[in-house]
Amino acid sequence: MEINGQSVHSAPSTGPAANEDSIAADRGYRNSLTKIEPYGIEHIPDIERHGKPASQFFLWFAAGMNFPLVVLGFSAAYFGLPFWSAVVAILAAGLVASTVMGYLSGMGVRLGVPQQMQARGPLGFVGNLLPVAYVNVFAGVGWAAVTVILGGQAIGLLTGLPFWLSALILMVFQLGVAVMGYNLIHFLQRVLSFILLAGFIFVTVIAVTKADIVNTTNESAEGFIGAGGWIIFFGYFLSYIIAWMPFASDYSRYLPNTKSNRRGAGIFTMLGNFVTLSWMGILGALLGASATSSDTIVALNELMGPWAIIGLGIVALSSFTQNFLNVYGGAISIQTMGVPVKRHTAVVMICIASYLVALWGQNGFYEGFTGFLNLTAYCVTPYVTVLVCDYLFGGRRSERGIRELFDKSRRFEWGFIAWAAGVLGSSPFWISGIYTGPVAAAFPQIGDLTFYVGAAIAAIVYFATYRLPRLSKQSPLVDDKEFQES
């Protein structure tokens, strides 16, 4: 077997939960839709690589055709933003974040392992536990709960079912698909892309014909703080995609490792995210401009009028496309932490936790959602910064670089220090219902600068330390004679 053109000997497989220090053996998965995915966090062998880069567009397009983005766009009215100003913020944030997301997807094609496993390289096994435990497991559970809340509310308005039952129906179906894994998720995302495309076109046409577009600043709006409101609104959309970044490679790691596939996966991932974030965000801004309710589901129901059954049905259906990924990615997170369970067992754990969180958090949803979104993105931004720096400059694209990801004896590396410095150093700028930093509290007019401060600090600390003797006492990859790029 080969990694990046170099020969690697495979250890014997021990079944679906193969030893972490092995390159997984051929388990005959290929492009089957009826087999439960037998791989978890292992490196995908060449013989199992399959698919085309265009699959990344449909996967992320379907995931983005989702109501949480409409919720974020809805908040433009809260900040008193003119419609044109909100549109500029949405498009700019979408372009920046989607481009980074595309690059991370291309990394998955080359390295053949989930995104979170890649972070074991610069952070070490133990160093990676904290960000994975909070950023990824917590984010997977939290995002799944958010989507179940919105979908469950929509089903409840359509059918009159109690929330606990409508949410349970959603979660059981999502559980079944996530257990089957990678191939079935890609297949259903492609199918649902076309259904959601038609549905949201219908919703958008009604929104455009009924909405009152306001192109003046509303200084009497509850959340008006001038330019700072625009910066925070921009950050909402930036953080939406940032929250997905630790999972980008999870859905591209089976693609054959060629230069064209890496480039194609990046382009299609970027387009899928940018198109849907822009569309759903602008739709939310339209909805918020004419809404009489602060509840987005109620506002949609009022806007659609006699067509409400279609609008609410589309919202309920869209909850599946995002939660397939939330639950699947959360399960990968559990395995990355070294918990000795199979992937499909981890899926069940994530689903149960998400359902319980949804029951607990169904009331007071909006404030909790934005606070959760920001805190997650504050921790993810330095994490992704270190991950990309390691990939570009740390020698990760080598045989030894991939093998190191499965070496648990490397407990801490300098990348953990860079990540922690980025998180702690940016904390004075945090804006959240849970915690607001002293700088943000003293100067609300500057908006939310956390992402940029956190990324800058993490990058500075990374470049100051990546050539130092490693904390694990092993030689740096950048000085390794085996370092070769494919």
Side-chain angles (χ1 to χ4, degrees):
M1 188 175 300
E2 295 184 345
I3 298 178
N4 293 340
Q6 301 184 51
S7 177
V8 179
H9 297 291
S10 299
S13 170
T14 61
N19 290 334
E20 284 196 15
D21 60 354
S22 69
I23 301 298
D26 177 12
R27 296 174 189 157
Y29 181 52
R30 307 298 191 273
N31 58 357
S32 172
L33 296 177
T34 59
K35 292 181 179 179
I36 294 178
E37 181 187 356
Y39 299 101
I41 57 175
E42 307 97 318
H43 179 275
I44 305 302
D46 290 345
I47 197 169
E48 289 280 23
R49 298 290 191 108
H50 64 276
K52 297 181 179 180
S55 65
Q56 304 304 302
F57 175 82
F58 293 104
L59 182 122
W60 293 110
F61 181 87
M65 297 290 282
N66 208 283
F67 211 65
L69 279 169
V70 179
V71 173
L72 295 181
F74 194 84
S75 65
Y78 172 82
F79 291 111
L81 299 178
F83 179 73
W84 64 267
S85 178
V87 170
V88 170
I90 293 166
L91 294 177
L95 181 61
V96 172
S98 297
T99 300
V100 178
M101 187 75 167
Y103 192 78
L104 293 168
S105 181
M107 289 167 59
V109 180
R110 184 189 287 263
L111 300 179
V113 295
Q115 205 85 62
Q116 302 151 80
M117 281 296 293
Q118 296 170 24
R120 281 189 182 180
L123 276 73
F125 173 70
V126 176
N128 196 35
L129 288 181
L130 181 57
V132 167
Y134 170 71
V135 176
N136 300 331
V137 174
F138 179 63
V141 170
W143 271 112
V146 163
T147 311
V148 165
I149 289 171
L150 290 169
Q153 288 176 345
I155 291 177
L157 284 173
L158 281 171
T159 65
L161 291 174
F163 177 79
W164 71 266
L165 182 55
S166 59
L168 182 62
I169 292 170
L170 288 175
M171 189 55 75
V172 168
F173 182 70
Q174 293 158 2
L175 168 65
V177 173
V179 163
M180 294 302 294
Y182 183 94
N183 286 341
L184 185 60
I185 289 174
H186 273 277
F187 173 77
L188 289 177
Q189 294 290 86
R190 178 184 291 268
V191 172
L192 290 171
S193 289
F194 293 101
I195 299 173
L196 293 175
L197 174 65
F200 274 110
I201 286 176
F202 183 77
V203 173
T204 302
V205 168
I206 292 180
V208 170
T209 57
K210 290 189 175 183
D212 296 323
I213 297 178
V214 180
N215 270 324
T216 57
T217 300
N218 179 13
E219 296 185 4
S220 63
E222 181 182 353
F224 179 78
I225 53 172
W230 189 94
I231 296 172
I232 294 174
F233 184 75
F234 172 90
Y236 282 172
F237 286 89
L238 195 70
S239 61
Y240 177 88
I241 294 186
I242 287 174
W244 278 119
M245 288 180 181
F247 307 101
S249 288
D250 301 10
Y251 307 100
S252 62
R253 72 191 196 278
Y254 278 85
L255 291 173
N257 180 22
T258 65
K259 185 176 182 179
S260 62
N261 279 345
R262 294 194 294 270
R263 183 187 302 113
I267 292 172
F268 282 116
T269 296
M270 187 273 289
L271 288 175
N273 281 282
F274 177 73
V275 170
T276 51
L277 181 139
S278 302
W279 182 359
M280 294 298 100
I282 294 172
L283 175 60
L286 281 172
L287 186 61
S290 57
T292 59
S293 172
S294 60
D295 187 309
T296 47
I297 293 293
V298 173
L300 177 66
N301 191 39
E302 293 175 349
L303 178 74
M304 298 297 292
W307 304 106
I309 189 172
I310 295 178
L312 295 174
I314 289 298
V315 171
L317 184 63
S318 70
S319 68
F320 292 117
T321 61
Q322 191 173 91
N323 264 8
F324 295 156
L325 276 59
N326 287 327
V327 174
Y328 181 89
I332 293 293
S333 301
I334 289 177
Q335 288 192 306
T336 302
M337 292 172 64
V339 179
V341 296
K342 296 178 181 178
R343 185 193 59 80
H344 52 271
T345 302
V347 166
V348 175
M349 295 166 62
I350 291 292
C351 282
I352 292 174
S354 301
Y355 178 68
L356 294 176
V357 171
L359 293 180
W360 169 73
Q362 59 182 298
N363 298 317
F365 157 73
Y366 181 76
E367 182 178 353
F369 170 48
T370 53
F372 159 73
L373 184 66
N374 279 359
L375 287 180
T376 300
Y378 295 161
C379 293
V380 171
T381 303
Y383 187 76
V384 170
T385 300
V386 172
L387 192 63
V388 172
C389 287
D390 176 69
Y391 180 77
L392 288 173
F393 306 103
R396 191 59 50 199
R397 294 166 289 175
S398 66
E399 177 186 338
R400 180 184 155 203
I402 295 175
R403 287 201 311 267
E404 273 193 352
L405 304 178
F406 301 91
D407 181 2
K408 291 183 179 179
S409 69
R410 297 172 53 255
R411 295 181 178 275
F412 288 97
E413 296 292 4
W414 286 111
F416 172 76
I417 305 300
W419 170 75
V423 173
L424 295 176
S426 65
S427 62
F429 297 86
W430 291 10
I431 299 177
S432 170
I434 301 172
Y435 170 77
T436 296
V439 175
F443 305 99
Q445 66 274 16
I446 68 174
D448 191 348
L449 304 181
T450 308
F451 310 109
Y452 326 108
V453 174
I457 292 174
I460 290 170
V461 175
Y462 176 86
F463 286 114
T465 58
Y466 83 113
R467 285 188 176 274
L468 295 177
R470 290 172 127 192
L471 299 179
S472 64
K473 309 303 182 183
Q474 297 182 12
S475 61
L477 284 173
V478 289
D479 297 331
D480 199 299
K481 295 180 179 179
E482 294 182 4
F483 174 57
Q484 295 180 14
E485 294 186 14
S486 60

